[in-house]
């Protein structure tokens, strides 16, 4: 069989396949998708034949294009979103966290070290804290947690301000999470930088409020969302550091392959950690500033920390194969 | 041809589970940069028009609520514009689609939301050191770091079909009385279908490479090849 025979014998079939693909790509007639797999196998066969016999790039390119489109049509994912989300929350995410527990130790030290160092330094020598925060930040902290400040609860009485702050926290904190992750591409330095800076800054705020303000106002405000926000940030940091370590020490793989593997394996941490930060924004926007007694807020805050401990330790054990 | 070992094109050979090979045409960094700039325009237009809309209705909602919606839409457009479009059936942002490209995984299929998030989030920091995206020039698949981490690449979305520019029809078929390899036969046939676009000097230059088979050089070689091609296709 030469090229012309091959082409004239199959032209109709190829055309039919292309039409079916077009219908399927437009999302119409999904019932006729049943015809695609068998026709796709025929296209694969024709393509191999055309390539082997070198029927020229005209035919090969055409069949190649059809094969790619057929492959896409067949391997398109139409997953149930709800089921995927539940499986993620009850399995994939906590399992990925436990698999990378060493990274959790690393990010924890990188964050809490500067945090406590800054807090401690405020007790002995406030100038470090003052230098880090700067006049503007200190004024704004005085406004919120100072000795005679308008409390956050009071400021949030205005209509819509809770929602406004929620949007602000989403934009700011989740954005920081994404940068924290992406910074891992610089051999992890970007991730470490953001973690250290956040540790220093939070430590400085706490230290400054202890020094100059009314600590109870601060604790009352942050108690509820602290677990979501801090753990979410650390978990995303784990995903970023994973990429960094893969580039530094790729082991048996090439650096490109190691990076790809780290990206794939760190993905649940990125998604889960960012979702935790979204939850933190919900809590911070709609609960933390409610005028409720301090003890209730502390209890809720502690309950959330315990819940996180329980979640990351126990959830998703036992059905690893699922 | 598709089977040469030393490649001079950017085709990426991928073997599928179905047992055959497909070729992906990786798109180059320059065109991708153009697509990115187009996308920036689209994002800016979207944010501006949302801001305008919110300005129209915020007297009803209140200033805080209006600001909140504005912040949320900036967040979603900035971080998820690329992601939403890349996981859509288009497989491409507006800019990429306009320039005929799409984002695929390393087997040529569509990307998942996670892959798209990885490659787009990393672009943000990659552009902080502008030489990093340029490194895509040195990668055989033109992958930047974000693509490597996500396991994705950008390809041309449509097959490129070269036009047929056949040479002049030969007067008579010339029987080939020797066994040709597949490569030789393919070379003779594609000579026929492409030589119409070449100058005579170029035709002779290429025909001289086949002088072992034709036994002739110069114009005679050219017409012998065309005759052989005719015989191979029509008269064998």
């Amino acid at each position: 069989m030469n090229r012309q025979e091959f082409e004239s014998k199959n032209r109709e079939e190829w055309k039919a396949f292309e039409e079916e693909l077009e219908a399927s790509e437009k999302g119409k007639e999904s019932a006729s998708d049943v015809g695609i797999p068998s026709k796709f196998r025929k296209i694969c066969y024709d393509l191999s034949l055309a390539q082997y016999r070198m029927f020229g790039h005209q035919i090969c390119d055409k069949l190649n294009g059809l094969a790619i489109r057929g492959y896409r049509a067949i391997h398109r994912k139409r997953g149930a979103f709800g089921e995927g989300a539940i499986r993620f929350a009850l399995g994939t995410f906590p399992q990925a966290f436990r698999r990378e527990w060493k990274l959790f130790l690393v990010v924890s030290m990188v964050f809490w070290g500067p945090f406590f160092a800054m807090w401690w330094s405020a007790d002995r020598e406030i100038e470090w804290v003052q230098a880090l925060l700067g006049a503007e930040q200190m004024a704004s902290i005085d406004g919120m947690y100072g000795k005679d400040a308008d409390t956050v609860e009071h400021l949030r009485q205005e209509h819509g301000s809770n929602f406004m702050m929620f949007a602000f926290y989403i934009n700011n904190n989740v954005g920081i999470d994404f940068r924290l992750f992406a910074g891992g591409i610089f051999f992890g330095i970007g991730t470490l930088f953001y973690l250290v800076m956040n540790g220093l800054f939070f430590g400085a705020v706490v230290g400054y409020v202890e020094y100059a303000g009314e600590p109870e106002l601060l604790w009352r405000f942050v108690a509820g969302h602290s677990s979501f926000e801090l753990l979410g940030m650390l978990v995303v940091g784990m995903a970023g550091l994973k990429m960094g370590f893969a580039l530094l020490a790729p082991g048996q793989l090439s650096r490109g392959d190691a990076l790809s593997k780290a990206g794939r394996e760190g993905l649940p941490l990125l998604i889960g950690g960012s979702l935790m930060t979204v939850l933190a924004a919900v809590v911070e926007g709609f609960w933390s500033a409610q005028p409720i007694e301090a003890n209730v807020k502390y209890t809720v805050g502690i309950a959330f920390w315990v819940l996180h401990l329980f979640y990351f330790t126990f959830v998703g054990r036992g059905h690893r194969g699922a | 041809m598709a089977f040469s070992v030393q490649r001079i094109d950017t085709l990426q050979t991928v073997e599928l589970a179905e047992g055959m090979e497909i070729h992906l045409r990786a798109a180059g960094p320059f065109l991708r940069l153009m697509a990115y700039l187009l996308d920036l325009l689209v994002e800016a237009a979207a944010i501006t028009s949302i801001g305008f809309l919110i300005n129209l209705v915020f007297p009803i909602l209140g200033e805080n609520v209006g600001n909140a919606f504005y912040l949320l839409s900036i967040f979603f457009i900035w971080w998820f514009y690329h992601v939403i479009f890349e996981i859509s059936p288009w497989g491409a942002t507006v800019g990429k689609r306009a320039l005929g490209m799409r984002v695929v995984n390393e087997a040529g299929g569509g990307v998942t939301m996670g892959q798209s998030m990885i490659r787009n989030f990393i672009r943000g920091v990659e552009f902080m050191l502008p030489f990093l995206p340029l490194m895509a020039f040195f990668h055989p698949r033109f992958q930047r770091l974000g693509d490597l981490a996500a396991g994705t690449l950008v390809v041309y979305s449509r097959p490129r079909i070269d036009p047929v520019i056949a040479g002049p029809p030969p007067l008579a078929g010339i029987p080939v009385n020797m066994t040709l390899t597949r490569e030789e036969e393919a070379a003779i046939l594609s000579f026929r279908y492409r030589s119409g676009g070449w100058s005579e000097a170029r035709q002779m230059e290429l025909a001289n490479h086949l002088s072992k088979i034709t036994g002739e050089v110069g114009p005679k070689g050219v017409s012998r090849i065309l005759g052989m091609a005719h015989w191979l296709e029509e008269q064998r």
Side-chain angles (χ1 to χ4, degrees):
Chain A
M1 183 163 49
N2 67 19
R3 190 179 61 86
Q4 276 97 343
E5 283 166 20
F6 179 70
E7 205 172 356
S8 64
K9 195 178 138 208
N10 293 303
R11 188 177 291 131
E12 291 301 309
E13 223 171 312
W14 298 340
K15 208 170 157 49
F17 184 63
E18 191 167 3
E19 277 160 10
E20 228 168 282
L21 276 180
E22 254 156 40
S24 150
E25 276 164 14
K26 280 184 191 132
K28 291 183 223 153
E29 281 187 73
S30 56
S32 77
D33 284 0
V34 285
I36 288 184
S38 66
K39 289 203 180 75
F40 174 63
R41 278 199 297 279
K42 178 65 175 33
I43 291 286
C44 294
Y45 172 76
D46 288 344
L47 173 60
S48 313
L49 193 75
Q51 281 174 347
Y52 182 73
R53 299 208 180 152
M54 300 196 166
F55 280 150
H57 56 92
Q58 298 273 332
I59 293 190
C60 287
D61 283 353
K62 184 186 163 71
L63 287 174
N64 185 46
L66 284 179
I68 292 173
R69 284 168 71 189
Y71 175 79
R72 261 183 221 134
I74 288 173
H75 294 267
R76 197 168 41 194
K77 287 175 196 71
R78 292 204 198 84
F81 178 75
E83 194 193 334
I86 289 172
R87 184 174 298 167
F88 178 82
L90 296 185
T92 319
F93 178 42
Q95 282 164 6
F97 178 86
R98 284 194 294 273
R99 196 175 56 229
E100 311 293 347
W101 64 274
K102 284 180 194 154
L103 281 175
F104 181 67
L105 293 187
V106 176
V107 290
S108 299
M109 281 190 291
V110 171
F111 174 78
W112 292 114
F115 176 87
F116 285 115
M118 217 57 202
W119 190 356
W120 177 76
S121 84
D123 248 5
R124 303 174 55 86
E125 186 66 72
I126 192 66
E127 270 149 29
W128 288 86
V129 168
Q130 285 171 330
L132 186 82
L133 289 176
E136 221 169 282
Q137 296 266 19
M138 284 192 287
S140 116
I141 295 170
D142 281 335
M144 286 189 292
Y145 314 115
K147 291 258 192 273
D148 44 18
D150 269 346
T151 59
V152 184
E153 286 93 336
H154 179 73
L155 294 173
R156 291 279 196 90
Q157 293 305 307
E158 197 189 335
H159 167 71
S161 65
N162 278 336
F163 184 47
M164 166 67 199
M165 288 317 287
F166 162 75
F168 173 78
Y169 295 134
I170 291 275
N171 192 24
N172 198 53
N173 299 356
V174 183
I176 286 178
D177 276 358
F178 292 161
R179 285 188 196 98
L180 188 69
F181 165 76
I185 205 77
F186 302 136
F187 298 98
I189 293 172
T191 307
L192 292 178
F193 173 79
Y194 278 119
L195 282 175
V196 170
M197 283 312 289
N198 272 314
L200 288 176
F201 181 74
F202 287 157
V205 171
V206 173
Y208 182 74
V209 172
E210 294 252 287
Y211 169 81
E214 200 69 65
E216 199 208 310
L217 293 180
L218 174 68
W219 297 128
R220 209 162 71 192
F221 177 62
V222 299
H225 59 264
S226 57
S227 55
F228 292 101
E229 185 163 338
L230 297 180
L231 287 174
M233 182 179 72
L234 294 183
V235 167
V236 172
M238 288 160 68
L241 269 196
K242 194 164 169 53
M243 288 198 302
F245 279 130
L247 286 172
L248 277 177
Q252 303 280 333
L253 303 168
S254 74
R255 284 209 156 72
D257 288 344
L259 179 62
S260 170
K261 185 163 172 276
R264 204 167 49 238
E265 289 177 359
L267 185 64
L269 298 174
L270 168 65
I271 295 177
S274 337
L275 287 178
M276 283 166 71
T277 311
V278 171
L279 283 179
V282 175
V283 176
E284 191 171 3
F286 299 106
W287 160 262
S288 295
Q290 295 295 327
I292 297 171
E293 209 185 318
N295 280 334
V296 179
K297 285 192 165 175
Y298 295 156
T299 316
V300 170
I302 291 170
F304 278 147
W305 277 98
V306 173
L307 223 63
H308 277 97
L309 181 70
F310 174 81
Y311 177 76
F312 284 119
T313 318
F314 297 112
V315 173
R317 280 190 196 274
H319 41 93
R320 211 162 276 259
Chain B
M1 285 302 296
F3 276 78
S4 63
V5 179
Q6 278 197 323
R7 312 206 66 103
I8 54 169
D9 52 32
T10 55
L11 289 181
Q12 289 302 312
T13 308
V14 177
E15 189 175 349
L16 298 185
E18 283 77 7
M20 93 297 192
E21 283 180 340
I22 54 170
H23 302 285
L24 301 173
R25 293 205 307 133
F30 179 73
L31 200 61
R32 289 171 58 183
L33 181 65
M34 292 298 110
Y36 178 69
L37 296 180
L38 272 180
D39 284 330
L40 278 185
L41 286 182
V42 175
E43 285 171 83
I47 289 177
T48 316
S49 45
I50 287 175
F52 184 71
L53 269 180
I54 287 175
N55 256 328
L56 281 184
V57 292
F58 98 79
I60 312 164
L61 296 171
E63 191 173 359
N64 276 323
V65 179
N67 281 341
F69 276 116
Y70 189 57
L71 274 179
L72 284 179
S73 40
I74 286 180
F75 173 79
F76 276 108
I77 290 173
W78 179 249
W79 291 103
F80 287 98
Y81 162 79
H82 288 83
V83 176
I84 298 290
F85 275 101
E86 283 172 11
I87 63 174
S88 76
W90 280 10
T93 54
V94 176
K96 286 203 182 68
R97 188 173 166 90
L99 298 181
M101 294 177 283
R102 67 184 293 155
V103 184
V104 297
N105 63 26
E106 280 172 340
V111 295
T112 63
M113 177 152 178
Q115 285 178 311
S116 185
M117 280 167 71
I118 293 179
R119 72 183 295 281
N120 286 304
F121 293 175
I122 289 178
R123 177 184 27 236
V125 297
E126 238 179 291
F127 275 28
M128 282 160 58
L129 297 179
F131 72 88
L132 278 177
L134 291 181
M135 276 166 55
F137 275 112
F138 300 99
H139 193 282
R141 287 192 291 259
F142 297 140
Q143 284 171 301
R144 55 178 179 80
L145 285 172
D147 282 319
L148 284 175
T152 56
L153 65 153
V154 181
V155 297
Y156 292 109
S157 51
R158 295 281 162 205
R160 188 194 59 168
I161 306 286
D162 285 333
V164 175
I165 312 177
L171 297 175
I174 296 170
V176 183
N177 47 13
M178 62 196 294
T179 313
L180 296 177
T181 63
R182 292 185 302 119
E183 285 83 0
E184 285 163 348
E185 193 176 324
I188 290 174
L189 289 180
S190 56
F191 188 92
R192 178 184 192 184
Y193 286 105
R194 294 175 63 186
S195 55
W198 301 332
S199 69
E200 275 177 33
R202 177 72 175 148
Q203 287 180 16
M204 282 189 278
E205 184 191 347
L206 289 169
N208 288 347
H209 288 297
L210 286 178
S211 59
K212 262 189 200 157
I213 295 170
T214 58
E216 304 271 3
V217 289
K220 280 187 181 170
V222 173
S223 61
R224 266 192 86 82
I225 290 177
L226 291 174
M228 284 172 149
H230 185 67
W231 183 83
L232 283 170
E233 283 211 314
E234 317 281 339
Q235 293 167 333
R236 181 164 54 168

